[in-house]
Amino acid sequence: MSSGEDTCDEGLQCWNVDPDTSVGTCLAMCTGTWDAPSCPGQGQECVAWYGPDQAPPGYENVGLCGVPP
């Protein structure tokens, strides 16, 4: 997250990873096939943004880098 701002840098998405707080974390966006590693963090994988059969056309491979559940 950019210092003093409530927004993430380009290519990142703010995601609230702790439901007990309103503090968000900037996570890298990722695209491509789910079996191709494209995330920068150790142990991170591209986790689908949309559920099965819920993505609009052209957004089937959009996700966020994170540690899968």
Side-chain angles (χ1 to χ4, degrees):
M1 196 172 270
S2 299
S3 177
E5 299 178 17
D6 291 332
T7 59
C8 295
D9 293 334
E10 186 175 334
L12 302 176
Q13 176 69 37
C14 186
W15 190 256
N16 187 355
V17 294
D18 184 354
D20 296 329
T21 69
S22 61
V23 176
T25 300
C26 293
L27 299 174
M29 300 291 294
C30 50
T31 59
T33 58
W34 302 116
D35 59 353
S38 62
C39 294
Q42 183 176 356
Q44 288 184 338
E45 295 179 12
C46 191
V47 179
W49 181 270
Y50 295 99
D53 301 320
Q54 294 180 343
Y59 290 88
E60 297 86 352
N61 294 326
V62 173
L64 285 173
C65 291
V67 178

